[in-house]
Amino acid sequence: MLLKKKRLVLPVLLLLLLALGYSLLKPFWLTQLTEREAERIRIITPSNVAPASLNRLSKDQLMADLSWLAAAERQGRAPGTAGGIAARLWIAEQFAAIGLQPAGSEGYLHPYSVAEHFSFSRWLRGKNATIPGVENAANVLGLLPGTVPGLKPLVLTAHYDHLGMHGDTIFYGADDNASGVAAMLELARYLKANPLQHPVLFIALDSEEKGLQGAVALFRTGLLQPEQLKFNINIDMLSRDTNQLLYAVGTYHHPWLLPLIDQLQPQSAVKLVTAHDRPWYLAGNTQDWTLSSDHGIFHQQGVPFIYFGVADHADYHTPRDTADKVDVAFYHQVVETVLSFLQLLDQQLAQDQTN
């Protein structure tokens, strides 16, 4: 009996020593990984960009649409509020005017509600794990057919909701994410006249700020099936110049995208940085944006993705995120870059289909 107890004590002591060693070494290890990742990002960040010569999209239309969404009358576009409902109906009207086919469960709209619940996966990531309930929310979906029959759609997503009002204070959400929705609308106008080989499903998502619940509802309600989709392009926060940087998130998970980014950079007037998608055991404390916006839900459903967005800035999630703060020239070239990526991606995927 004594011998058995001794045999049990030794493994327990060993585990305790290992745990102690890990807790002592982890901060140093994470610091080293974080510094190494910062150096990697520094090395891959382009030093020069192309002249801002692309002018296929209307700068004035981008700003008009962004300004409408971020106006005081929209009251911050919280889900289910008068401002959020007005934004949703306006986006549906724009989809119809452009000529997109209705692709929701009720015309262009995909209404849904969410009961308050606990998210274990968010708890594991150290996020707020209580998902608030949402009533009278709706996504807006429009389909643009491609030129080649039988190809699965590319899905372009941008959330239209924001934080609404806190008391009498409006959180306008110009960059986050009126910029993405305005970009989506202008891309839809261009692609209507210049269609891709693949169909493009345009989705303006609700409730991103409440735990990505608009994207969750697409699959939870059965409106979309992952196997029916080819690729997700998510655009969220495009209009604030943070040293000319535009992050392209997702290449760690899908390395085949890297050659497309390499082709894209010489024609882009912004610095494309493939970062913020590596796990902590490679990147330390560097933020991992893999699940940070609606693309995360597509990723969890097994749909390949890329996310384009700028870094957080001083006005992020504050009442100061207003339309007058937009860096118009930078924003215009960011959306031109997204258009070029869509064209390159369409060509690559169509070529892969025929090989």
Side-chain angles (χ1 to χ4, degrees):
M1 188 70 176
L2 185 59
L3 183 59
K4 286 183 179 180
K5 287 185 177 179
K6 286 183 177 179
R7 286 176 179 171
L8 287 172
V9 168
L10 287 174
V12 170
L13 286 174
L14 181 59
L15 287 173
L16 288 173
L17 287 172
L18 288 173
L20 178 61
Y22 175 76
S23 64
L24 292 173
L25 291 174
K26 185 180 178 182
F28 173 77
W29 178 39
L30 287 177
T31 298
Q32 294 299 306
L33 290 174
T34 304
E35 292 176 353
R36 187 183 304 170
E37 179 66 3
E39 179 63 12
R40 187 190 73 84
I41 293 173
R42 187 192 67 79
I43 291 171
I44 65 173
T45 299
S47 55
N48 299 299
V49 296
S53 57
L54 295 176
N55 197 31
R56 299 163 293 183
L57 306 173
S58 169
K59 187 187 306 182
D60 292 340
Q61 189 65 59
L62 281 168
M63 286 306 302
D65 290 345
L66 183 154
S67 298
W68 191 94
L69 287 162
E73 291 81 359
R74 255 47 77 199
Q75 299 178 328
R77 308 184 308 279
T81 64
I85 293 169
R88 144 199 334 169
L89 296 176
W90 179 81
I91 293 167
E93 290 173 0
Q94 301 308 305
F95 279 8
I98 291 167
L100 303 184
Q101 297 176 3
S105 54
E106 299 179 10
Y108 290 103
L109 300 183
H110 171 229
Y112 65 91
S113 60
V114 180
E116 182 176 311
H117 63 281
F118 179 83
S119 171
F120 183 68
S121 63
R122 287 178 65 87
W123 178 79
L124 285 176
R125 303 198 313 273
K127 303 291 186 181
N128 182 4
T130 300
I131 303 298
V134 178
E135 296 292 336
N136 196 14
N139 301 317
V140 190
L141 296 89
L143 179 67
L144 179 63
T147 60
V148 176
L151 296 182
K152 295 179 181 180
L154 310 178
V155 184
L156 183 65
T157 52
H159 76 89
Y160 71 88
D161 67 301
H162 193 56
L163 301 178
M165 296 184 67
H166 294 188
D168 295 329
T169 302
I170 300 173
F171 286 68
Y172 296 90
D175 188 37
D176 184 17
N177 184 38
S179 68
V181 177
M184 172 188 289
L185 293 173
E186 187 62 6
L187 289 166
R189 295 183 186 102
Y190 181 89
L191 292 176
K192 174 65 176 175
N194 305 274
L196 302 178
Q197 296 173 81
H198 288 79
V200 182
L201 180 59
F202 297 88
I203 310 180
L205 290 160
D206 205 351
S207 307
E208 189 269 354
E209 302 286 5
K210 293 184 178 291
L212 316 182
Q213 291 306 296
V216 169
L218 294 173
F219 299 100
R220 174 175 57 82
T221 63
L223 182 68
L224 298 185
Q225 300 295 328
E227 62 273 12
Q228 298 172 344
L229 311 176
K230 191 65 177 179
F231 194 91
N232 171 232
I233 306 96
N234 188 41
I235 47 178
D236 189 354
M237 297 175 56
L238 303 178
S239 65
R240 297 292 289 269
D241 185 351
T242 52
N243 299 316
Q244 287 187 292
L245 299 178
L246 178 66
Y247 289 95
V249 176
T251 60
Y252 171 78
H253 303 284
H254 308 289
W256 60 270
L257 291 170
L258 285 167
L260 293 182
I261 300 298
D262 289 340
Q263 292 179 59
L264 185 61
Q265 184 61 76
Q267 56 185 287
S268 175
V270 300
K271 298 176 181 178
L272 291 159
V273 183
T274 53
H276 290 296
D277 52 11
R278 293 157 67 86
W280 67 269
Y281 54 81
L282 293 176
N285 292 318
T286 307
Q287 289 184 340
D288 181 359
W289 297 344
T290 298
L291 302 176
S292 67
S293 182
D294 294 305
H295 58 274
I297 304 303
F298 286 82
H299 175 62
Q300 290 175 332
Q301 292 289 330
V303 180
F305 77 95
I306 195 164
Y307 157 50
F308 289 108
V310 301
D312 292 351
H313 45 75
D315 297 332
Y316 170 70
H317 278 195
T318 76
R320 300 188 304 275
D321 182 12
T322 50
D324 61 299
K325 301 284 186 65
V326 167
D327 296 289
V328 179
F330 172 79
Y331 176 41
H332 180 220
Q333 290 306 307
V334 164
V335 187
E336 291 280 358
T337 297
V338 174
L339 172 57
S340 295
F341 175 82
L342 284 167
Q343 293 171 326
L344 288 171
L345 177 70
D346 176 59
Q347 294 168 12
Q348 180 66 56
L349 293 176
Q351 181 179 332
D352 292 346
Q353 183 86 359
T354 59
N355 289 341

